[in-house]
Structures are given as structure tokens and as C-alpha cells.
Amino acid sequence: MPHKKEAWKDEMYGDEVREKIEEFAEKGWDAIPEEERDEWFSRFKFWGVFHHRGGQESYFMMRLTNCGGVLEPGQLKAIGEVARDYAKGPVENPEFGNGWIDFTTRQSIQLHWLKLEDIPEIWEKLEAVGVSSRSAGGDTMRNISGCPVAGKAEEYVESRELLDEIQAEIRGDDDLANMPRKFNISVTGCRQGCAQDSINDIGLEPAHKFIDGEEVRGFNVRVGGGLGGREPREARPLDLFVTRDQAKETVRAFVELYHEEGNRENRSKNRARFFVDEWGTDAIREELGERLDFELERAGTDFRREYTYNAGKPTEQGAHDHVGVYDQTDGKNYVGLSVPVGRMPAEDAIELADLASAYGSGEIRLSRRQNPLIMDVPDGRLAHLLNEDLLETYRPEPNPFEQGAMACTGTEFCSLALTETKARMARMLQWLAGEVELPDDVDRIKMHYSGCTADCGQAMTADIGLQGMRARKDGEMVEAMDVGVGGGIGEDPTFIEWVRQRVPADEVPGMIANLVEAYAALREEGQTFREWVDATGHETIVELAEPEEVEGYTDPCLADGKQSWYPFADGESPAPTDAEGQPLSADD
């Protein structure tokens, strides 16, 4: 029997949902029948509109979509202005204030604290500059990821136009909008591996092959990667090489196969990684051969040995991310800024957009590590840009803890999360930077924090991965974390191995400090954290990773345990509210 959400989608889905959102927005929160809210909130997600968690009724998040991380001139400024004017809640976040944007791990942006009544006006302002939220959530093909500097930096296979074609012709195909579950596509044309094909439902990686005596450039195809539910999978090779001209139709063929044959009954086992488990790569390859109008070639030689993006290799072998100053192929530069945990106040986002216009082309690009890149900066303007005050806050050369940090949304807004993430991680980063010394050649320790096992923060791929849990401490239920080490994407993708379970959140900074200080003292010269973990052995790592409370660190919401309507607020929730933000009466 199909899952109940399939029945909801059968009744209404896709573009027609927008009319209902606009209708509800005009009438107000109370217009959504209470007994139908789960259905409507599920449908809203197609348009990137997500209801916040319990206690925050009438507040929504909006997820935007921009293929491959590209924000054209004017787009970030419009997003920042929307955040300034509409994305403000009833209380301030202790680390970030009120009114900000979140950069995501799929190269896009989220806005929080939005009122339902404001959604149509927000769409109008964003769509006026070409920014959309369509197909940004729900059972859809999500934001397509790629090298954020595709078309601007060295690529073995050109991918920028290919990304746009997949966006327009496959992701934009209404007949494929209703997938069994969310579906992730990535295309990497460079040799760094920065689209992370290993953790996507289908990923194209650059490769070459001799065909009829000539070297041909193209892509190898991998399918069925993903991280969530403590059941991660590395995307598996289909032993299939396709040319640039064959790539789009190959992606379409696998999308259509999953669309037609994917499990629509058991939502806990119907992501594409489980589909690949069930079918097997041989059967999938054979089926694609039936659907495609060209003869399939066996896989070519890939460049995975050269992957450096989150690959745990020494920096001199290549860039781990896009933070810093880099050359473009046209003689200009791009400047990648470090935004700790991906959150930026609205006024800073507006200023960043202005700087991008003043010193570059105005184009901003976003990486998979929650960081923005200022594009097209001429040599003659570079020094002036680097001297701007904003770049003191979001530095191209941050400390090693900031540069490696990522965090998901957490209990601040997410109904699935078990712990708060962003403010806690920001506070941990500040403490670690001030208390822990690292060797000069260690320029980043990758710490990824997910509020639950869905792993939106990609903890499974980190040097140090944190996942939210609960634990008892001194007889009280507290927020806690499972902590693992040794993850990374690259030639040999590995997922973290768990070191400690249910560590109270206020003991995690001390645990990380003990572990990192041991690394600094015991490593061989030039050894990266991931290499040291592999060489040291699990039992020794467990002994070194001793949790402890530390001076100077105060946890922002240790005992909340998702019991309050907002982790940083006391008292009763003001929600639901009317269009002016006033609490609605509970009386009939």
C-alpha cells in the first residue's frame, strides 16, 4: 500500500500547491484546517516552504534553489533584503541576533522566521531578480550541486552548461517532479571532487577513455550515495563511461528509472541508495542500456586519486575547499570567504553583495561547505577588497577550526533534530580557537555537526563528526552528542567511526580539545588529522578522546532537550501569531 504522503500528493502536488499557499497567506494562519496541517505542510515543501517545529506555529522556513551555487548579480542583495525585512522572529539568537541567512550544504540559502502572510510578497521580490524556491524541498530533485567555480576555473570536462541543461530539462520537467523521495544530482568537471559525487543519488565524475584509438573526455557514473539514518552508502560505480553529449540523457534515464520503480510504500527505505541496494549495479546498468539510444561504454579512468576536496590530504596537494584567494582562467580572481556554520546576518549579506559589485562582477557563488565566493575580481582591485572590514569577520584565511566547520539547522527550527547546533558550534569554535594550539602546517580541522541522524550537516564525512543525542547528567536530561572521527570524501571515501556515545554537550569541547591536542603532539610531520586517525588505531583514539567540562565554555542550552518552544527563550511561545506578529487567541 502506498504511503499516506503518496495519497496526499495524488490529491494535489507541484505547481498547483502555490495557489493554495497564496490563498492561505491571504486569509491567515487560521485558514489552514488544523486536522489537515500535516498534509498541507508536506505539500508546501515542493515550493521550498517548511513549517517550523512545535511551538513555532505560523512561522516558516523558505529554502531557495540556485543550480550549482550560482547567484547572479543582484540576487544575494535581494535575498539579504528579504531576510532583513521579513526573516525576524519574536526573540533574538544569542550568537546571531535577529534577521539572517543560512548558507546550505547544497550550495543554496535558507530563510527562517517567515510569516505565512508574507510568503507571496517574498516570492515577488525574489522572483523579480530570478531567484526561485520551486522544487527546493519535498519529494523532488533537490538543488543540483557542482563545482562552484565551474566555467571560471580549470576543468577537465566543461560542466557549467551541462548543469544548466540538467536543471532546465530534467529538474524542471513537471512529469518528474513527484519522486518517491528527495533526489540529489551532482556533476564534477574538475579534478578536486568538490561536488562530492560519492554522497549523491547520481554523480558524474570526470574521466577519460581511449575509444577507437582516440582519447575521449567524459564522465564515469556513480549512483546510490547518501548519509542519513546511520546507514550511509558510498555511491557505487555503474562501470559506465559517457561523453559530455551523452551525460544529460544518462542522468535522465536513471532519474526516470527511480521515478518509476522506486519504493513509494516504505519511506524509511526508499531513498535511491536503498533502490541501488535492491536492484544492484549490474541490473541498473542493463536497464539503462535499454533506455539509452547509444551503446554503453565501460568505465574510463577517473581522477579520484587527485581528489582533494574534503579528502583529508595535505593542503599542498590541492585545495580542500574554496576558502581563500584563487586564480580564474580569465586572469581574474575569486575570493572565498569563511562563514562559520554558514550563518550570516542580513546586513552583512547585503554588504557582501555590494562588495561583489564594487570589486568584481557582482556574481556570488556558493560552495558545498556553506561558504560564499566573490567572483571576477581583477588583480588591481584584489588588495582593496581584502582590506574591507567585512573580510575581517568572514576571512579568506580563517583559523583551522572555523575553516573546517559546518552545522545543520538543529532544534532551533527543525522538528527532527535532537539538539541545537549553530549557536553551540559557533561558541565551540570560539573557545577552541582561543584555547587549542595547532602546528603551523595544520590549516583546518573539519568538524561537522548534525542535530540528528538524518545528517544534514554531513557529520559522517568529517574529521570529527558530531550527531545530536540525549543523555542524563547529574540526574537531568541534557543535550548530548555521539562523536566519531576519520571521515572524508576522496579517492577512498570513508565514514566516521564512532568514538564516544551520548557525550553531554558541555563536555564535547573538552573532548575535542583533548583529541586535537593529542594529534598535535603525536602526529608525524605533515600528517593530516585523517591520516593520523588511520595510523593511530581506534582503541587509542577512544582513550585520547576523554570528555570533560572546561573553563571558559558555557553551553547555550544544555538542558533544553527540545522542551522549550525555542532553545534560547524562556516562557510560553507567542505562536501562533497573526500577520502583525500578535498572538492569536485560543478562544473560538
Side-chain angles (χ1 to χ4, degrees), residues 141 175 180 184 232 327 346 360 381 416 560 563:
M141 287 172 272
D175 291 338
N184 292 325
D327 297 332
R381 297 181 184 175
L416 299 178
D560 184 70
Q563 297 172 37

Side-chain angles (χ1 to χ4, degrees), residues 40-344:
W40 286 115
F41 294 161
S42 181
R43 296 181 181 118
F44 285 6
K45 291 177 182 179
F46 179 86
W47 277 96
V49 177
F50 290 68
H51 182 247
H52 279 180
R53 67 177 181 87
Q56 298 173 11
E57 286 78 16
S58 73
Y59 289 106
F60 292 80
M61 176 264 281
M62 182 180 288
R63 179 176 290 151
L64 307 180
T65 177
N66 51 303
C67 177
V70 177
L71 290 173
E72 296 174 358
Q75 291 183 335
L76 179 61
K77 186 164 188 174
I79 295 168
E81 290 171 347
V82 166
R84 179 195 63 197
D85 298 339
Y86 298 95
K88 290 188 175 181
V91 292
E92 290 198 352
N93 180 289
E95 297 293 329
F96 304 101
N98 207 345
W100 24 258
I101 67 174
D102 280 346
F103 298 116
T104 76
T105 58
R106 287 208 71 80
Q107 299 177 273
S108 194
I109 290 173
Q110 292 178 0
L111 301 169
H112 288 280
W113 287 129
L114 303 181
K115 301 291 295 178
L116 178 63
E117 293 83 357
D118 294 330
I119 295 296
E121 191 169 336
I122 290 170
W123 275 332
E124 182 179 352
K125 291 179 179 294
L126 295 177
E127 291 169 357
V129 295
V131 175
S132 176
S133 68
R134 184 185 187 275
S135 188
D139 296 341
T140 63
M141 287 172 272
R142 300 296 182 85
N143 203 52
I144 302 170
S145 61
C147 175
V149 291
K152 299 285 187 177
E154 291 290 344
E155 290 184 279
Y156 185 74
V157 187
E158 180 278 325
S159 65
R160 184 63 254 169
E161 291 184 4
L162 176 58
L163 285 161
D164 291 336
E165 290 169 9
I166 295 173
Q167 165 73 20
E169 300 177 35
I170 302 176
R171 188 165 179 267
D173 187 341
D174 290 345
D175 291 338
L176 297 173
N178 180 2
M179 302 290 281
R181 282 293 296 278
K182 68 177 181 180
F183 189 93
N184 292 325
I185 301 169
S186 71
V187 179
T188 300
C190 68
R191 300 191 187 198
Q192 294 175 336
C194 52
Q196 302 191 128
D197 55 86
S198 294
I199 56 174
N200 285 277
D201 296 307
I202 182 167
L204 303 182
E205 60 179 354
H208 63 118
K209 183 170 183 166
F210 282 89
I211 300 176
D212 298 330
E214 294 188 8
E215 181 185 12
V216 178
R217 299 188 180 199
F219 301 95
N220 284 345
V221 184
R222 292 178 179 261
V223 295
L227 299 177
R230 293 284 176 94
E231 296 186 81
R233 301 286 191 281
E234 175 190 351
R236 282 140 283 182
L238 285 183
D239 191 17
L240 174 60
F241 173 84
V242 296
T243 66
R244 161 64 179 83
D245 292 340
Q246 296 166 340
K248 178 182 62 180
E249 290 311 312
T250 303
V251 171
R252 172 178 281 277
F254 184 68
V255 169
E256 290 178 342
L257 175 61
Y258 175 65
H259 180 267
E260 295 166 12
E261 303 292 339
N263 185 336
R264 292 182 182 265
E265 298 177 1
N266 183 355
R267 291 182 68 84
S268 67
K269 290 289 185 181
N270 71 347
R271 289 293 304 275
R273 64 183 185 273
F274 301 117
F275 176 76
V276 175
D277 288 349
E278 180 181 351
W279 273 58
T281 53
D282 290 342
I284 290 172
R285 189 184 194 280
E286 182 177 351
E287 179 65 25
L288 295 188
E290 296 292 324
R291 292 169 179 255
L292 294 167
D293 61 2
F294 55 84
E295 185 176 344
L296 302 191
E297 292 281 350
R298 295 293 177 182
T301 302
D302 61 45
F303 298 96
R304 299 181 78 79
R305 65 191 180 280
E306 300 180 32
Y307 281 12
T308 57
Y309 195 87
N310 192 26
K313 295 181 179 180
T315 301
E316 57 266 21
Q317 294 187 22
H320 288 224
D321 48 43
H322 293 87
V323 174
V325 179
Y326 297 90
D327 297 332
Q328 296 180 183
T329 53
D330 60 4
K332 295 179 181 178
N333 308 273
Y334 71 87
V335 180
L337 308 184
S338 177
V339 178
V341 304
R343 180 165 288 178
M344 178 179 281

Side-chain angles (χ1 to χ4, degrees), residues 3-65:
H3 191 275
K4 64 181 180 180
K5 290 190 177 181
E6 291 297 322
W8 296 347
K9 290 188 291 181
D10 285 344
E11 292 176 16
M12 181 181 291
Y13 194 67
D15 288 341
E16 59 185 329
V17 173
R18 176 160 174 156
E19 295 180 10
K20 291 299 296 186
I21 295 175
E22 292 172 340
E23 177 184 324
F24 289 136
E26 182 178 357
K27 295 179 179 178
W29 166 261
D30 273 352
I32 308 175
E34 185 172 357
E35 67 278 8
E36 298 177 9
R37 283 176 184 164
D38 286 348
E39 300 173 33
W40 286 115
F41 294 161
S42 181
R43 296 181 181 118
F44 285 6
K45 291 177 182 179
F46 179 86
W47 277 96
V49 177
F50 290 68
H51 182 247
H52 279 180
R53 67 177 181 87
Q56 298 173 11
E57 286 78 16
S58 73
Y59 289 106
F60 292 80
M61 176 264 281
M62 182 180 288
R63 179 176 290 151
L64 307 180
T65 177

